[in-house]
Amino acid sequence: MSGNVELLSSALAQAKAENRAALIAYLPAGFPTVDGGIEAVKAVVAGGADIVEVGLPHSDPVLDGPVIQTADDIALRGGVKIADVMRTVREAHEATGVPILVMTYWNPIDRYGVERFTAELAEAGGAGCILPDLPVQESALWREHADKHGLATVFVVAPSSKDERLATITAVGSGFVYAASLMGVTGTRASVGEQAQDLVLRTRATTELPVCVGLGVSNAGQAAEVAGFADGVIVGSAFVKAILDAPDEAAGLAAVRSLAGELAEGVRKR
């Protein structure tokens, strides 16, 4: 069975045709529970998210800030497994029809087996993977299996990436390029800054792939700012925080749906 890389491309193209950026929401699988995580994905899509990243919780999420680390810890203590991540992708995609990616560190895939992981993700209807810590020069095996199964390989670029390095990364990535707006870990920020715009411009000079910006966006104003220069706006910690701050699961779902609605308006005001 083939994955949904083409659905991902069409979702980004549709947003471009509407003269706006795509809204990409991140939520960890298994948080606050496996069932609750699936409902949260449905809620952000109902609110207006075009694409969803499902995080594979990791015990050492080096690129994630305290909010996502807290959610990962809750998921891991709840016993979340890769099978639960695949179930989240499958049920969320079947319910919403939007492209669902998995964001994961490399170690869990390496242990699970690349062929097994890519085959199961494609079978679940996944659109691909975001792999923040997989070096491009060590990615050939992953890309071979991802291509075979119709999955996107999304690499992350950072403000520190030199132009030559950007070209190397974008030459082998697919789906879109994830531009980290700043140096550091995930989390909400007071401003997203000029670094992100410069990075998008430099990345665009090397590729026809859409360039989507994450790290730091938490409100409609910031979403509108980033949408002014990026093809997609990625929001994670703000959604996770909305669930963490809610008094119960129903309130959490209402909060993420509402936040998605505000952000969806933001990306339309570029």
Side-chain angles (χ1 to χ4, degrees):
M1 182 170 175
S2 184
N4 274 312
V5 64
E6 291 178 6
L7 182 64
L8 174 64
S9 297
S10 66
L12 288 160
Q14 178 65 33
K16 185 176 183 179
E18 294 173 7
N19 192 33
R20 65 177 179 87
L23 175 60
I24 304 174
Y26 166 93
L27 289 161
F31 168 74
T33 61
V34 176
D35 289 341
I38 293 167
E39 293 305 314
V41 174
K42 294 179 189 176
V44 295
V45 174
D50 301 290
I51 298 162
V52 178
E53 303 172 11
V54 170
L56 194 160
H58 193 267
S59 55
D60 185 26
V62 291
L63 297 178
D64 291 309
V67 171
I68 290 175
Q69 284 185 20
T70 298
D72 277 6
D73 186 54
I74 289 168
L76 290 167
R77 282 191 281 116
V80 71
K81 301 282 192 292
I82 287 180
D84 299 311
V85 177
M86 298 300 179
R87 182 187 150 212
T88 300
V89 171
R90 176 183 291 105
E91 293 190 14
H93 174 64
E94 286 176 352
T96 65
V98 305
I100 312 280
L101 299 119
V102 169
M103 185 161 187
T104 177
Y105 295 97
W106 179 245
N107 183 257
I109 295 178
D110 195 36
R111 290 210 316 263
Y112 197 72
V114 175
E115 168 61 24
R116 181 184 177 196
F117 190 95
T118 51
E120 289 184 8
L121 182 56
E123 192 274 329
C129 260
I130 301 164
L131 300 161
D133 68 339
L134 176 63
V136 170
Q137 60 271 25
E138 297 174 19
S139 67
L141 178 67
W142 163 267
R143 288 186 284 113
E144 174 192 337
H145 288 291
D147 290 348
K148 181 171 79 171
H149 290 292
L151 299 169
T153 298
V154 178
F155 289 114
V156 178
V157 298
S160 61
S161 303
K162 301 286 191 285
D163 291 352
E164 184 180 356
R165 175 75 176 155
L166 290 176
T168 300
I169 292 170
T170 59
V172 295
S174 55
F176 64 91
V177 182
Y178 187 125
S181 68
L182 48 104
M183 302 302 294
V185 298
T186 58
T188 60
R189 298 291 194 282
S191 68
V192 180
E194 294 175 9
Q195 274 189 326
Q197 187 165 5
D198 175 66
L199 177 59
V200 170
L201 289 171
R202 292 194 299 117
T203 304
R204 281 213 180 113
T206 71
T207 183
E208 295 295 313
L209 289 172
V211 183
C212 304
V213 170
L215 272 65
V217 178
S218 61
N219 59 50
Q222 290 172 338
E225 178 192 352
V226 174
F229 57 81
D231 299 296
V233 179
I234 303 167
V235 180
S237 295
F239 284 120
V240 174
K241 188 174 187 301
I243 294 172
L244 285 171
D245 289 349
D248 55 53
E249 193 168 306
L253 294 175
V256 294
R257 179 170 179 163
S258 175
L259 176 58
E262 294 168 21
L263 293 163
E265 283 186 29
V267 300
R268 286 163 171 80
K269 292 177 180 171
R270 56 196 308 177

